[in-house]
Amino acid sequence: MALGTATDPYELRFDAGRISLDLLATTHPEERFDSVEVLCAWIVGAGLVPPGTPLAHAGPPWLVDFRELRGRIGQLVRGTLAPAPWPSYDIALARVNDVALAAPPAPRAVRGEDGTLVRELDHPPECAALLGAVARDALELLTDPVARAALRECEGDNCPIVYLDTSRGRRRRWCSSEVCGNRERVARHRRRMALTRA
């Protein structure tokens, strides 16, 4: 199954509306970043690098750095959704601001096999550059009043995923209609059937 289809709750998901929110989704339903290979798949799936970009230089320290940034972004996003910012909000904000200072990977256009232009990176990306791109995305999200107002937490049972609600009328309730929405429809059906039998 292709990355990003979000039909299997245990796959990497890219349906939260922003790269930084997709990063937050890697903790549910369990820790997704359990290997460097999964992290590299997420980096490609999130569009931080074009497919085929060499990431052989990625190692365990990358896992630590991405998890740490994910935690800080999570503090900012959840602090934004809370009535009052959390006590650690300012510490998280300072850290994400620092990470965002790193320049993102430099792209370049080259001719593909069929002659069309395709994106490549000038050189294999460093971890700091990739983290910087994600941190910048989080800062752009949280400083944009329209985007910030569209942040929603999934109404699914025990689902902590935060997404950007860009639906018409801003009525989206679940992180994924195929995952949490389907669970809710199944639960509703079971409740109706139980009432019918009773």
Side-chain angles (χ1 to χ4, degrees), residues 119-189:
R119 182 174 65 110
E120 281 188 0
L121 296 184
D122 190 47
H123 56 277
E126 294 301 318
C127 185
L130 297 172
L131 292 169
V134 177
R136 286 173 185 220
D137 179 72
L139 295 177
E140 289 169 8
L141 169 66
L142 296 172
T143 58
D144 177 347
V146 174
R148 191 174 56 239
L151 283 173
R152 303 282 184 273
E153 188 165 9
C154 183
E155 292 181 22
D157 198 25
N158 297 317
C159 183
I161 292 181
V162 176
Y163 59 89
L164 200 60
D165 183 1
T166 57
S167 67
R168 183 173 284 168
R170 303 278 193 254
R171 293 184 291 196
R172 183 173 163 193
R173 295 178 53 207
W174 304 293
C175 63
S176 167
S177 182
E178 294 86 10
V179 179
C180 289
N182 191 48
R183 283 188 197 131
E184 177 63 27
R185 287 186 289 276
V186 168
R188 211 176 318 147
H189 175 73

Side-chain angles (χ1 to χ4, degrees), residues 20-95:
S20 53
L21 297 177
D22 288 336
L23 178 64
L24 296 182
T26 61
T27 63
H28 181 73
E30 61 188 25
E31 174 60 61
R32 305 305 319 155
F33 290 165
D34 57 0
S35 71
V36 174
E37 291 76 26
V38 172
L39 173 61
C40 290
W42 184 86
I43 289 168
V44 173
L48 290 172
V49 300
T53 299
L55 294 172
H57 59 295
W62 285 38
L63 284 171
V64 172
D65 291 343
F66 269 87
R67 286 177 183 161
E68 193 259 338
L69 179 62
R70 179 183 64 194
R72 299 297 186 182
I73 291 173
Q75 290 173 311
L76 295 180
V77 169
R78 298 208 186 286
T80 299
L81 293 172
W86 297 0
S88 59
Y89 190 89
D90 289 337
I91 296 168
L93 182 59
R95 180 66 182 129

